[in-house]
């Protein structure tokens, strides 16, 4: 059931009191707290089981709030905000002096975005109208509302499965329309250097180039000292507990058959032909376009994980730029899947 105005008022009250509220964004559900209240932010880390050096994204009601949170904002930031906000693009900017290191993981930068989901915007605007929390800053910090390292939730029920009673209120906005996390673009490189794409998402490097005239540099996701700056950049992110193996479309039927012969139970995630062999215990067929696929990917992985098979076989997707964000998530899911480090091989 969609949340109503009364629920938003309750959410505002909880945030003012330093409590957690989960809410839908257009990408995935977020686990929110007043971003200017370090105690409240600490509750996010505790609920997720997330290491304290992983910075959080701060959600804002509009780009007019940008300069409370960031300093030395380059012109391209305003151009990108104008083009893509509200929407699935997170900008990394130098942080304003008041921004707590609980948010930034001790870094000198902060991640900011204005989400496009109507419920998220209604919550952010209502929070600002009610005074904006600590120091009137009006920012809601929200990582994806899953336990650390797990699949991001794209439905309210997933949030409950992940976090249970650790969250005071879950606003239900139905299924998230984008389905994978926002594009993260680092605008802190010195003038003259291209911005850096830290995480691929719905907003593509080419779309960014069309706005600012420069193609972002697509970077390896580790800081120089090996500290992960983008938590989704850890190899073991977005992972189901069942081992997961990527297989080319041509070899899918053969892989299923081999598993059947070795009496191992498998689930299949495909996007072209449904394998005609009935040996798979659970099969999900996703749309064959990248946007449709992204929208349904995480819910499908959750379902297949629950089927408790020995292996999830995933039909490989095309190696084209349009599929880059999905490819990134599948690679990480394959790298992180299976808690015991069991080798994901169909042999
Ligand atoms: O779509 C999204 O971005 C969702 C929704 C809820 O907005 N949020 C999300 O948050 O994916 P999270 O915390 O799961 O991933 C955001 C990533 C973090 O892993 C963090 O490392 C990175 O953004 N990040 C935040 N601030 C940063 C900074 N100052 N420098 C580099 N990376 C940063
Ligand atoms: Mg996350």
């Amino acid at each position: 059931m969609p949340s109503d105005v009364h629920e938003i008022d309750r959410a505002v009250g909880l945030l003012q009191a330093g409590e957690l509220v989960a809410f839908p964004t257009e990408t995935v559900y977020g686990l929110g707290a007043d971003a200017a209240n370090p105690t409240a932010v600490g509750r996010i880390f505790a609920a997720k089981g997330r290491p304290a050096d992983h910075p959080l994204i701060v959600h804002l009601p509009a780009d007019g709030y940008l300069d409370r949170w960031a300093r030395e904002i380059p012109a391209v930031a305003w151009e990108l905000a104008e083009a893509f906000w509200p929407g699935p693009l997170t900008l990394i900017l130098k942080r304003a002096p008041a921004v707590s290191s609980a948010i930034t993981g001790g870094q000198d930068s902060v991640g900011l975005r204005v989400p496009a989901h109507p419920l998220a915007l209604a919550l952010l605007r209502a929070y600002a109208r009610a005074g904006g929390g600590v120091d009137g800053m009006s920012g809601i910090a929200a990582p994806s509302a899953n336990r650390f390292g797990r699949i991001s939730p794209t439905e309210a029920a997933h949030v409950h499965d992940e976090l249970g009673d650790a969250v005071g209120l879950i606003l239900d906005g139905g299924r998230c329309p984008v389905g994978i996390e926002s594009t993260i673009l680092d605008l802190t490189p010195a003038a003259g250097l291209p911005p850096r794409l830290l995480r691929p998402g719905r907003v593509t490097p080419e779309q960014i180039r069309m706005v600012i005239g420069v193609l972002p540099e697509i970077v390896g996701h580790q800081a120089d000292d090996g500290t992960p700056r983008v938590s989704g950049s850890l190899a073991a992110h977005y992972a189901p507990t069942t081992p997961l193996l990527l297989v080319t479309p041509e070899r899918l039927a053969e892989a299923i058959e081999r598993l059947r012969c070795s009496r191992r139970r498998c689930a299949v995630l495909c996007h072209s032909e449904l394998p005609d062999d009935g040996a798979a215990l659970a099969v999900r067929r996703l749309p064959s376009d990248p946007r449709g696929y992204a929208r349904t990917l995480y819910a499908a992985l959750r379902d297949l994980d629950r089927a408790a098979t020995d292996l999830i076989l995933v039909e490989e997707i095309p190696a084209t730029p349009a599929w880059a964000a999905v490819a990134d998530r599948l690679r990480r899911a394959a790298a992180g899947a299976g808690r015991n480090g069991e080798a994901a091989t169909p042999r």
Side-chain angles (χ1 to χ4, degrees):
M1 259 255 291
S3 303
D4 57 12
V5 176
H6 172 71
E7 294 272 270
I8 296 223
D9 287 348
R10 239 182 96 206
V12 167
L14 286 167
L15 292 171
Q16 284 170 325
E19 300 295 334
L20 302 181
V21 173
F23 62 95
T25 79
E26 75 281 32
T27 58
V28 300
Y29 275 76
L31 179 63
D34 184 336
N37 178 342
T39 311
V41 170
R43 293 198 169 108
I44 293 180
F45 287 92
K48 278 187 63 102
R50 178 168 171 153
D53 63 349
H54 286 251
L56 301 178
I57 293 176
V58 178
H59 298 69
L60 304 177
D63 58 6
Y65 290 79
L66 207 50
D67 46 19
R68 297 184 194 191
W69 291 89
R71 65 175 205 276
E72 301 167 36
I73 302 170
V76 290
W78 296 109
E79 291 165 14
L80 289 164
E82 171 76 27
F84 296 113
W85 285 355
L89 175 68
T90 295
L91 299 179
I92 307 295
L93 293 164
K94 289 185 182 163
R95 68 160 162 167
V99 179
S100 132
S101 60
I103 289 291
T104 65
Q107 303 184 57
D108 190 36
S109 58
V110 61
L112 301 164
R113 86 177 186 102
V114 178
H117 195 288
L119 252 186
L121 277 178
L123 176 64
L124 284 158
R125 289 173 183 158
Y127 199 52
R129 270 199 309 277
V134 171
D135 297 332
M137 290 287 279
S138 305
I140 300 179
S144 50
N146 50 279
R147 292 195 51 81
F148 183 65
R150 309 273 309 128
I151 304 168
S152 296
T154 53
E155 295 174 26
H158 301 164
V159 180
H160 192 265
D161 292 347
E162 287 284 325
L163 301 170
D165 298 333
V167 42
L169 173 64
I170 303 172
L171 295 177
D172 187 347
R175 289 199 185 135
C176 301
V178 174
I180 55 171
E181 304 80 358
S182 61
T183 303
I184 301 184
L185 187 70
D186 179 5
L187 293 178
T188 62
L193 293 176
R196 305 184 327 141
L197 191 88
L198 302 183
R199 181 173 71 185
R202 166 72 75 87
V203 175
T204 65
E206 184 54 26
Q207 285 177 300
I208 291 167
R209 188 192 63 77
M210 303 236 285
V211 173
I212 63 172
V214 181
L215 197 64
E217 179 193 359
I218 296 164
V219 296
H221 297 181
Q222 296 281 119
D224 295 338
D225 58 1
T227 320
R229 293 279 164 87
V230 181
S231 70
S233 71
L234 292 171
H237 241 71
Y238 315 121
T241 49
T242 313
L244 183 151
L245 184 70
L246 299 173
V247 203
T248 61
E250 301 75 38
R251 299 197 51 196
L252 188 57
E254 178 196 329
I256 295 172
E257 178 57 20
R258 210 182 306 149
L259 282 160
R260 195 177 63 80
C261 292
S262 63
R263 293 172 180 273
R264 292 177 72 197
R265 296 162 309 155
C266 77
V268 174
L269 185 66
C270 62
H271 58 87
S272 52
E273 299 292 299
L274 271 182
D276 44 2
D277 189 318
L281 279 189
V283 180
R284 286 283 175 287
R285 184 178 177 200
L286 299 187
S288 56
D289 68 290
R291 289 185 171 202
Y293 190 105
R295 188 175 302 130
T296 41
L297 172 63
Y298 287 160
L301 282 178
R302 265 175 204 279
D303 276 358
L304 295 180
D305 207 13
R306 257 199 303 268
T309 60
D310 298 313
L311 187 63
I312 302 173
L313 291 175
V314 179
E315 179 187 5
E316 268 179 15
I317 43 127
T320 59
W323 285 89
V326 165
D328 170 78
R329 303 311 190 276
L330 285 178
R331 256 195 319 271
R332 292 175 201 294
R339 271 201 197 123
N340 310 320
E342 188 187 334
T345 153
R347 289 206 178 78

